[in-house]
Amino acid sequence: MRGAAVRIGPEVRQRRHTQYFTGAIRAFSPVFLDTDVDMAGVLAHRATHPGFSVVSYIAQATGRALAAHPEANAALRGRLWPRLARYEGVHAKVTLDKTLDGHRVVLATVVPDVDTAGLPDIQQRISHFRDGDPQTMAEFGAVRVLHKLPRFVGLPLFRLTMRSLRRRPQTLGTVAITSLGHRPVNGFHSVGGTTVTLGVGQIADRPVVRDGALAVAPVMRLNLAFDHRVIDGAEAADLLTAIKEGLEGYPPDDLPAGPATGALADLPSGSARTS
């Protein structure tokens, strides 16, 4: 056995936003569901319309499904006198695997109006944040300031931001999507601060039954966590089914031919936790 040498030093302040966030969501009552999605239609569309990440397809399908299930496009705050906010538009918070001051961290952006936006608009937003440098991007300026503030200042400010139900679509989104599909991870569950959070796993060839015969298809595990204080399991199951059907029935000619705005690689996401 080697000597028990231990290096103890200050915290990694670049992770303070994640620490504040995980403390703020303790009031959630998460329940978890999952399903398998046949992604053959999506991959066929990508083959003829290169440039779109898998996460963009999921964001669009989720937006359309939530528009049909508005009870899940909501947020609850408070215990003694709880207040429920119902949102008209669907705004997806997407996690990003980033490096900030030499430390690997999870950051996030909100893609607005995914219930009505087309794939090019969704991809453009995701690509902008995926490819940008969080140390210089103005959009991450508030996070950088938060890291520098002492905890007795930063934590109350963070909680104050989280409290506002009216500002949540801009700060947290109305649904969260986090992906580990760029690694050999089949599935995972996450709580992203919204009533519904989707955890996205890898797409892998798996045996399926089609028309009574065994076949091989590109299958993705899609996990859904929901806040039981806001919706029940039946509503969450219907929502997950609607997302699955939207992805499996993706029309091959939904867009004119040509590349999407943004880079060609899939969106990486480095953690099941969202920020």
Side-chain angles (χ1 to χ4, degrees):
M1 180 177 178
R2 299 182 62 184
V6 179
R7 291 188 302 170
I8 300 177
E11 62 164 336
V12 177
R13 59 181 174 82
Q14 290 80 8
R15 291 190 50 80
R16 280 186 179 176
H17 64 282
T18 300
Q19 296 165 5
Y20 295 163
F21 174 78
T22 53
I25 63 172
R26 289 177 182 172
F28 279 61
S29 297
V31 179
F32 307 101
L33 309 175
D34 65 71
T35 190
D36 289 331
V37 181
D38 186 338
M39 296 291 283
V42 168
L43 295 186
H45 188 274
R46 291 184 77 201
T48 56
H49 302 83
F52 297 110
S53 69
V54 169
V55 171
S56 293
Y57 289 92
I58 295 170
Q60 186 185 57
T62 301
R64 294 176 178 180
L66 272 172
H69 295 272
E71 295 294 319
N73 196 46
L76 183 72
R77 184 182 65 80
R79 295 188 178 185
L80 293 178
W81 295 279
R83 306 293 294 175
L84 180 67
R86 302 189 187 279
Y87 303 108
E88 293 184 3
V90 182
H91 312 289
K93 184 179 76 166
V94 178
T95 58
L96 305 160
D97 178 14
K98 288 293 187 179
T99 299
L100 189 60
D101 295 326
H103 296 279
R104 194 173 185 178
V105 299
V106 177
L107 297 173
T109 184
V110 175
V111 182
D113 302 312
V114 292
D115 52 326
T116 57
L119 273 178
D121 293 329
I122 294 173
Q123 185 64 52
Q124 183 179 31
R125 175 78 175 185
I126 289 176
S127 296
H128 171 71
F129 283 90
R130 178 197 61 199
D131 301 332
D133 184 354
Q135 295 190 178
T136 59
M137 293 179 69
E139 294 91 342
F140 293 126
V143 174
R144 296 193 298 267
V145 171
L146 185 68
H147 294 161
K148 297 177 181 178
L149 294 175
R151 281 183 171 267
F152 67 85
V153 177
L155 182 56
L157 284 177
F158 186 89
R159 288 176 174 173
L160 183 62
T161 302
M162 288 275 292
R163 284 179 59 85
S164 175
L165 290 175
R166 294 189 182 279
R167 293 179 57 192
R168 281 207 180 186
Q170 292 77 38
T171 58
L172 285 177
T174 63
V175 64
I177 302 172
T178 182
S179 172
L180 290 175
H182 65 302
R183 292 289 184 261
V185 175
N186 290 327
F188 68 102
H189 294 282
S190 172
V191 175
T194 51
T195 293
V196 172
T197 301
L198 296 176
V200 181
Q202 68 171 338
I203 299 175
D205 287 340
R206 294 190 176 94
V208 298
V209 177
R210 288 178 174 167
D211 300 323
L214 189 63
V216 176
V219 175
M220 179 188 72
R221 179 70 51 79
L222 185 62
N223 303 286
L224 184 150
F226 70 94
D227 190 346
H228 208 339
R229 302 175 305 162
V230 182
I231 60 173
D232 294 324
E235 182 77 23
D238 289 346
L239 175 62
L240 183 59
T241 300
I243 298 171
K244 171 185 170 73
E245 292 175 347
L247 291 169
E248 292 184 339
Y250 201 89
D253 297 320
D254 188 67
L255 287 171
T261 302
L264 303 184
D266 282 347
L267 170 71
S269 174
S271 173
R273 294 179 179 175
T274 51
S275 59

